[in-house]
Amino acid sequence: MSAPAQAQAQAPVSAPAPAPTTPAPASIPTSDPNPLPIPPQIPVLVLAGFLGSGKTTLLNHLLHRSGGSRIGAVVNDFGAIEIDALAVAGALGDSTVSLGNGCLCCAVDASELDVYLERLARPAAGIDVIVIEASGLAEPEELVRMLLASEHPGIVYGGLVEVVDAAEFDATRVKHPEIDRHLSLADLVVVNKLDRAVDAPRVLGLVRSLTDRAAVVPATYGRIDPEFLFDCRPSEERVGQLTFDDLHDHAGAEEGEHAAHADHLHTAYDSLSFASDDTPMDPRRLMTFLDSRPEGLYRIKGYVDFGAHDPHNRYAVHAVGRFLRFYPEAWADGDSRLTQLVLIGTGLDLPALGKELEACKDDDAPHADEHGMWGVLRYVQEPDQEGELDPEPEG
């Protein structure tokens, strides 16, 4: 849910491994104080994990609890019979792209993946979030690389979610030592089937030790809060074929008799809302905060006022795991000049985060440093003259 050191297929950034950390400098758009608006982009999540870890169960849970959000899915079964696709197709209808008999990371390249995403990202589909459910034998790093290399202007990387079977974790590491690398790349780790683990606290601690600042969420039956991964719309706003909430306003069949006692392992996410309507933010201080954001902080969303550093625009911010992007938007007449941010994660020291954000306020405004915005602009994807997003440069 959620999800996610930064950058994706944006013009100012070179395409690195799934969790890019050092983007290339962007051209500084000083000549145009009102950049063309960037069309809304649909977050694309990669849902990975070894065979039997509970990926399809988690996806079905998201469908049950999606609120009014419309979910599109790319389901990649390894065998010729697409069992996982059948498990979700009834909920999604024509919002499912099914790829069977091979791992997606080996079967297609970035341009071919764009073709599949185009079907789900077209405006007429009305999709709010896309989930790529990888096969249990897929290489998540390659899937993330393909998303980062995507030239589709309608999508944005939404994070790598790795699902772990807590009951089989020790045995899985012996058979598949690459799981340690997968965990180190993840933005969100769901430690599933925790009720079946012999030593749940030890498994959780071990998983946390193998991640690189990722949020780690304990779960049973794949039940995590969707707000980790995407913004849930009010259910009354939903239109179209996704009426799963209405059909399943009680526990799903896959939870059966266990539903009554499974909730005690559910861990709510930590959330901090920050607002500043009196003082704009200092771009250098904010970038220092973002570059050093703590372990467990999965999502950051909202709008930033940089005051005299850019009096013409506010900046929408989208961060998931180690991915970061800013979107400049021209202030409209009558807009209140304020910063509003929401931070979501697990195990966060919310008072400390609030103090760090307070320290990012620009008390020296309006004496703007002409180079102060450079750090922010490295994470701005500039539209071309037609308003389309430029593809990522080679190199």
Side-chain angles (χ1 to χ4, degrees):
M1 5 84 312
S2 253
Q6 24 292 337
Q8 186 245 28
Q10 58 205 61
V13 181
S14 55
T21 57
T22 309
S27 58
I28 308 302
T30 55
S31 60
D32 184 4
N34 298 296
L36 292 171
I38 295 177
Q41 293 177 300
I42 300 171
V44 181
L45 310 168
V46 176
L47 181 60
F50 280 105
L51 298 166
S53 59
K55 299 184 298 298
T56 301
T57 301
L58 191 153
L59 178 55
N60 273 321
H61 169 72
L62 295 180
L63 298 176
H64 284 67
R65 301 293 181 262
S66 66
S69 298
R70 294 170 59 87
I71 301 176
V74 178
V75 181
N76 180 206
D77 284 292
F78 188 76
I81 301 176
E82 299 169 8
I83 301 299
D84 289 344
L86 293 174
V88 300
L92 291 171
D94 61 3
S95 297
T96 304
V97 174
S98 178
L99 304 173
N101 204 21
C103 281
L104 179 62
C105 58
C106 304
V108 302
D109 59 21
S111 62
E112 292 173 302
L113 181 59
D114 277 352
V115 173
Y116 296 117
L117 294 176
E118 170 61 30
R119 172 178 163 184
L120 299 176
R122 67 191 190 281
I127 298 297
D128 297 302
V129 60
I130 297 172
V131 179
I132 298 178
E133 183 191 348
S135 79
L137 300 177
E139 176 50 63
E141 181 175 2
E142 291 305 313
L143 293 175
V144 175
R145 282 185 183 275
M146 284 192 282
L147 281 176
L148 297 181
S150 171
E151 297 183 0
H152 195 297
I155 62 117
V156 62
Y157 177 57
L160 170 60
V161 181
E162 186 78 17
V163 184
V164 168
D165 182 342
E168 300 294 332
F169 184 61
D170 293 326
T172 301
R173 290 185 73 206
V174 172
K175 296 178 181 178
H176 302 281
E178 63 269 28
I179 192 174
D180 289 6
R181 178 170 51 83
H182 294 176
L183 290 172
S184 71
L185 299 172
D187 300 301
L188 175 69
V189 179
V190 178
V191 185
N192 197 31
K193 305 183 185 180
L194 204 58
D195 57 322
R196 294 172 48 193
V198 175
D199 189 355
R202 180 191 63 81
V203 174
L204 272 174
L206 179 56
V207 170
R208 288 192 174 103
S209 73
L210 296 171
T211 65
D212 180 12
R213 301 191 300 169
V216 177
V217 182
T220 57
Y221 305 100
R223 305 173 86 189
I224 67 171
D225 198 310
E227 287 285 348
F228 264 121
L229 303 177
F230 55 87
D231 299 326
C232 293
R233 299 177 184 271
S235 58
E236 60 268 17
E237 293 183 6
R238 187 185 63 253
V239 294
Q241 80 271 26
L242 283 184
T243 57
F244 224 50
D245 296 318
D246 302 325
L247 298 174
H248 296 268
D249 53 0
H250 54 81
E254 81 282 359
E255 295 165 4
E257 62 186 20
H258 302 285
H261 63 79
D263 282 335
H264 72 282
L265 285 173
H266 171 75
T267 300
Y269 61 84
D270 299 319
S271 177
L272 171 68
S273 297
F274 172 85
S276 174
D277 56 4
D278 53 353
T279 307
M281 306 296 279
D282 179 272
R284 291 184 186 273
R285 295 175 194 170
L286 184 63
M287 287 310 305
T288 298
F289 170 81
L290 292 173
D291 287 340
S292 60
R293 52 195 185 271
E295 178 178 346
L297 178 52
Y298 178 65
R299 293 183 70 201
I300 303 175
K301 57 183 180 178
Y303 298 92
V304 181
D305 172 23
F306 288 118
H309 294 275
D310 186 347
H312 302 284
N313 300 292
R314 69 176 184 176
Y315 284 72
V317 59
H318 166 72
V320 55
R322 291 155 288 180
F323 174 90
L324 174 65
R325 180 179 289 172
F326 285 98
Y327 302 87
E329 301 176 359
W331 291 106
D333 293 340
D335 276 349
S336 299
R337 304 282 178 120
L338 74 163
T339 294
Q340 294 177 304
L341 296 172
V342 176
L343 285 65
I344 299 173
T346 60
L348 302 178
D349 186 340
L350 299 183
L353 285 176
K355 290 180 180 178
E356 290 183 48
L357 284 171
E358 285 287 339
C360 293
K361 291 183 177 180
D362 189 357
D363 299 323
D364 297 327
H367 305 291
D369 174 4
E370 66 175 307
H371 302 307
M373 287 292 290
W374 282 13
V376 172
L377 294 172
R378 291 161 63 196
Y379 301 104
V380 170
Q381 183 172 9
E382 298 178 54
D384 62 21
Q385 294 183 354
E386 282 74 40
E388 304 243 340
L389 301 182
D390 289 328
E392 184 175 0
E394 296 182 0

